PDB file of all heavy atoms in Angstrom:
ATOM      1  N   ASN A1705    -123.064 -74.958  21.472  1.00  0.00           N
ATOM      2  CA  ASN A1705    -123.597 -75.371  22.776  1.00  0.00           C
ATOM      3  C   ASN A1705    -123.318 -74.345  23.872  1.00  0.00           C
ATOM      4  O   ASN A1705    -123.951 -74.373  24.925  1.00  0.00           O
ATOM      5  CB  ASN A1705    -122.935 -76.683  23.249  1.00  0.00           C
ATOM      6  CG  ASN A1705    -123.255 -77.867  22.363  1.00  0.00           C
ATOM      7  OD1 ASN A1705    -124.227 -77.829  21.614  1.00  0.00           O
ATOM      8  ND2 ASN A1705    -122.433 -78.908  22.432  1.00  0.00           N
ATOM      9  N   THR A1706    -122.311 -73.488  23.646  1.00  0.00           N
ATOM     10  CA  THR A1706    -121.764 -72.668  24.732  1.00  0.00           C
ATOM     11  C   THR A1706    -122.213 -71.212  24.691  1.00  0.00           C
ATOM     12  O   THR A1706    -122.443 -70.606  25.736  1.00  0.00           O
ATOM     13  CB  THR A1706    -120.215 -72.740  24.690  1.00  0.00           C
ATOM     14  OG1 THR A1706    -119.829 -74.114  24.764  1.00  0.00           O
ATOM     15  CG2 THR A1706    -119.569 -71.976  25.840  1.00  0.00           C
ATOM     16  N   VAL A1707    -122.323 -70.647  23.474  1.00  0.00           N
ATOM     17  CA  VAL A1707    -122.625 -69.210  23.392  1.00  0.00           C
ATOM     18  C   VAL A1707    -124.073 -68.920  23.799  1.00  0.00           C
ATOM     19  O   VAL A1707    -124.911 -69.823  23.858  1.00  0.00           O
ATOM     20  CB  VAL A1707    -122.358 -68.646  21.965  1.00  0.00           C
ATOM     21  CG1 VAL A1707    -120.870 -68.695  21.640  1.00  0.00           C
ATOM     22  CG2 VAL A1707    -123.178 -69.382  20.910  1.00  0.00           C
ATOM     23  N   ASP A1708    -124.308 -67.663  24.057  1.00  0.00           N
ATOM     24  CA  ASP A1708    -125.653 -67.212  24.419  1.00  0.00           C
ATOM     25  C   ASP A1708    -126.638 -67.536  23.278  1.00  0.00           C
ATOM     26  O   ASP A1708    -126.266 -67.465  22.104  1.00  0.00           O
ATOM     27  CB  ASP A1708    -125.604 -65.688  24.640  1.00  0.00           C
ATOM     28  CG  ASP A1708    -126.892 -65.173  25.245  1.00  0.00           C
ATOM     29  OD1 ASP A1708    -127.018 -65.210  26.482  1.00  0.00           O
ATOM     30  OD2 ASP A1708    -127.779 -64.745  24.471  1.00  0.00           O
ATOM     31  N   PRO A1709    -127.871 -67.891  23.603  1.00  0.00           N
ATOM     32  CA  PRO A1709    -128.849 -68.221  22.541  1.00  0.00           C
ATOM     33  C   PRO A1709    -129.059 -67.070  21.543  1.00  0.00           C
ATOM     34  O   PRO A1709    -129.440 -67.319  20.395  1.00  0.00           O
ATOM     35  CB  PRO A1709    -130.145 -68.498  23.316  1.00  0.00           C
ATOM     36  CG  PRO A1709    -129.743 -68.777  24.718  1.00  0.00           C
ATOM     37  CD  PRO A1709    -128.448 -68.078  24.959  1.00  0.00           C
ATOM     38  N   THR A1710    -128.786 -65.859  21.961  1.00  0.00           N
ATOM     39  CA  THR A1710    -128.999 -64.716  21.047  1.00  0.00           C
ATOM     40  C   THR A1710    -127.824 -64.505  20.083  1.00  0.00           C
ATOM     41  O   THR A1710    -127.932 -63.746  19.127  1.00  0.00           O
ATOM     42  CB  THR A1710    -129.201 -63.417  21.854  1.00  0.00           C
ATOM     43  OG1 THR A1710    -128.004 -63.163  22.608  1.00  0.00           O
ATOM     44  CG2 THR A1710    -130.396 -63.509  22.780  1.00  0.00           C
ATOM     45  N   THR A1711    -126.687 -65.163  20.349  1.00  0.00           N
ATOM     46  CA  THR A1711    -125.502 -64.986  19.491  1.00  0.00           C
ATOM     47  C   THR A1711    -125.670 -65.772  18.193  1.00  0.00           C
ATOM     48  O   THR A1711    -125.947 -66.977  18.227  1.00  0.00           O
ATOM     49  CB  THR A1711    -124.229 -65.446  20.231  1.00  0.00           C
ATOM     50  OG1 THR A1711    -124.083 -64.656  21.409  1.00  0.00           O
ATOM     51  CG2 THR A1711    -122.987 -65.291  19.366  1.00  0.00           C
ATOM     52  N   GLN A1712    -125.498 -65.086  17.070  1.00  0.00           N
ATOM     53  CA  GLN A1712    -125.594 -65.758  15.760  1.00  0.00           C
ATOM     54  C   GLN A1712    -124.230 -66.360  15.423  1.00  0.00           C
ATOM     55  O   GLN A1712    -123.214 -65.653  15.380  1.00  0.00           O
ATOM     56  CB  GLN A1712    -126.002 -64.746  14.678  1.00  0.00           C
ATOM     57  CG  GLN A1712    -126.295 -65.416  13.337  1.00  0.00           C
ATOM     58  CD  GLN A1712    -126.536 -64.397  12.224  1.00  0.00           C
ATOM     59  OE1 GLN A1712    -126.709 -63.206  12.472  1.00  0.00           O
ATOM     60  NE2 GLN A1712    -126.539 -64.881  10.993  1.00  0.00           N
ATOM     61  N   VAL A1713    -124.199 -67.687  15.199  1.00  0.00           N
ATOM     62  CA  VAL A1713    -122.948 -68.378  14.854  1.00  0.00           C
ATOM     63  C   VAL A1713    -122.956 -68.674  13.352  1.00  0.00           C
ATOM     64  O   VAL A1713    -123.830 -69.393  12.861  1.00  0.00           O
ATOM     65  CB  VAL A1713    -122.792 -69.693  15.655  1.00  0.00           C
ATOM     66  CG1 VAL A1713    -121.509 -70.417  15.256  1.00  0.00           C
ATOM     67  CG2 VAL A1713    -122.808 -69.420  17.158  1.00  0.00           C
ATOM     68  N   VAL A1714    -121.993 -68.102  12.643  1.00  0.00           N
ATOM     69  CA  VAL A1714    -121.873 -68.317  11.192  1.00  0.00           C
ATOM     70  C   VAL A1714    -120.666 -69.212  10.948  1.00  0.00           C
ATOM     71  O   VAL A1714    -119.559 -68.912  11.407  1.00  0.00           O
ATOM     72  CB  VAL A1714    -121.693 -66.977  10.447  1.00  0.00           C
ATOM     73  CG1 VAL A1714    -121.472 -67.222   8.951  1.00  0.00           C
ATOM     74  CG2 VAL A1714    -122.896 -66.074  10.673  1.00  0.00           C
ATOM     75  N   TYR A1715    -120.897 -70.319  10.259  1.00  0.00           N
ATOM     76  CA  TYR A1715    -119.777 -71.230   9.938  1.00  0.00           C
ATOM     77  C   TYR A1715    -119.464 -71.146   8.453  1.00  0.00           C
ATOM     78  O   TYR A1715    -120.343 -71.319   7.613  1.00  0.00           O
ATOM     79  CB  TYR A1715    -120.135 -72.667  10.327  1.00  0.00           C
ATOM     80  CG  TYR A1715    -119.152 -73.703   9.814  1.00  0.00           C
ATOM     81  CD1 TYR A1715    -117.800 -73.642  10.165  1.00  0.00           C
ATOM     82  CD2 TYR A1715    -119.568 -74.733   8.968  1.00  0.00           C
ATOM     83  CE1 TYR A1715    -116.892 -74.579   9.697  1.00  0.00           C
ATOM     84  CE2 TYR A1715    -118.673 -75.678   8.503  1.00  0.00           C
ATOM     85  CZ  TYR A1715    -117.331 -75.601   8.856  1.00  0.00           C
ATOM     86  OH  TYR A1715    -116.439 -76.528   8.383  1.00  0.00           O
ATOM     87  N   ASN A1716    -118.208 -70.851   8.133  1.00  0.00           N
ATOM     88  CA  ASN A1716    -117.741 -70.834   6.741  1.00  0.00           C
ATOM     89  C   ASN A1716    -116.329 -71.395   6.761  1.00  0.00           C
ATOM     90  O   ASN A1716    -115.429 -70.793   7.342  1.00  0.00           O
ATOM     91  CB  ASN A1716    -117.758 -69.393   6.202  1.00  0.00           C
ATOM     92  CG  ASN A1716    -117.447 -69.337   4.706  1.00  0.00           C
ATOM     93  OD1 ASN A1716    -116.699 -70.162   4.185  1.00  0.00           O
ATOM     94  ND2 ASN A1716    -118.024 -68.362   4.031  1.00  0.00           N
TER      95      ASN A1716
END
Side-chain angles (χ1 to χ4, degrees):
N1705 295 341
T1706 304
V1707 294
D1708 190 86
T1710 62
T1711 300
Q1712 187 187 348
V1713 178
V1714 176
Y1715 170 59
N1716 187 329

